[in-house]
Amino acid sequence: MSGINSRFWTDRFYLREFEERDWPAVHRYAGQELVSRYQPWGPNTEEESRNYVQQILEGAAKADRTQFAFAVIWRESGQLIGAGELSLQNAANRVGEIGYILHPDYWGQGIATGVAELLISFGFDDLNLHRIFATCDPNNSSSKKVLEKAGMVWEGTLRENMRMKNGWRDSMVYSMLEQEWRIRKQ
């Protein structure tokens, strides 16, 4: 994993492993209702943001790591502006799931698409996955656009598969297969 950071740079941001000192920056976005609107969590308390970062650090230290969560760092300021995550969902079938979240000040700038593309590249090129998927709330048109711009294909909608604060939510499923990634890279 040591060589991964050098590949996770773009002209505007980069991804790096989380550090314990990151929790206040995480809380700046995770504590906002706007950010957690389509999530089953949040808005986070300071303790919840601190616990989130601690859980990431504990997962990263495991020999059989299945969760790869990265801080999104804005190059110009060095500020943590979000997170991107790839979780191994089924090792035998080489399946992973990606997710991303950003501070609202950085929405609508193509950053989430860039994060998704870096996570997809990591999943196929480094983890040798066969299939990578992501889900989003059908009402979250911005997230749908991110997944489509990243090259993922809409597979269908899971009905009432996620319990939210105010009831059940459907989830749209998007995916990419390793052969599609290879073609896209060319």
Side-chain angles (χ1 to χ4, degrees):
M1 293 305 299
S2 59
I4 168 176
N5 287 342
S6 63
R7 288 190 35 250
F8 277 5
W9 283 75
T10 72
D11 58 338
R12 297 183 299 156
F13 69 90
Y14 62 93
L15 305 182
R16 67 157 168 77
E17 297 278 356
F18 272 93
E19 300 169 359
E20 192 170 338
R21 65 182 172 92
D22 289 334
W23 78 263
V26 168
H27 187 66
R28 281 194 282 283
Y29 63 80
Q32 297 186 42
E33 178 68 37
L34 181 64
V35 173
S36 64
R37 158 177 54 182
Y38 298 114
Q39 303 299 328
W41 54 265
N44 281 3
T45 64
E46 285 187 2
E47 182 179 354
E48 288 168 330
S49 294
R50 187 180 287 125
N51 288 341
Y52 167 76
V53 172
Q54 191 58 45
Q55 288 171 356
I56 288 172
L57 296 174
E58 290 170 7
K62 291 181 179 179
D64 58 344
R65 186 175 183 181
T66 59
Q67 180 184 31
F68 299 87
F70 302 102
V72 179
I73 308 298
W74 191 245
R75 287 184 65 178
E76 187 176 298
S77 64
Q79 293 294 312
L80 189 154
I81 63 167
E85 184 173 319
L86 188 148
S87 298
L88 301 179
Q89 296 296 320
N90 183 323
N93 290 308
R94 299 174 25 222
V95 176
E97 178 179 13
I98 64 165
Y100 43 83
I101 194 156
L102 291 174
H103 190 287
D105 290 352
Y106 295 87
W107 289 0
Q109 301 177 40
I111 299 164
T113 301
V115 170
E117 290 170 340
L118 289 175
L119 293 170
I120 290 167
S121 174
F122 173 61
F124 289 128
D125 295 340
D126 293 80
L127 299 180
N128 194 34
L129 295 179
H130 173 70
R131 178 176 183 274
I132 296 173
F133 73 96
T135 63
C136 73
D137 186 304
N139 296 312
N140 190 346
S141 59
S142 296
S143 195
K144 287 189 275 189
K145 288 177 189 172
V146 164
L147 297 172
E148 290 166 359
K149 286 180 183 177
M152 299 184 97
V153 176
W154 178 61
E155 290 186 345
T157 302
L158 300 173
R159 298 180 319 142
E160 294 189 4
N161 73 311
M162 187 175 291
R163 186 170 183 120
M164 303 294 283
K165 298 169 270 255
N166 59 351
W168 291 96
R169 166 194 122 169
D170 294 346
S171 292
M172 295 182 75
V173 179
Y174 286 80
S175 72
M176 184 182 290
L177 303 175
E178 64 183 318
Q179 61 267 28
E180 294 167 337
W181 172 247
R182 303 285 174 235
I183 291 168
R184 187 171 170 90
K185 272 180 49 172
Q186 293 177 353

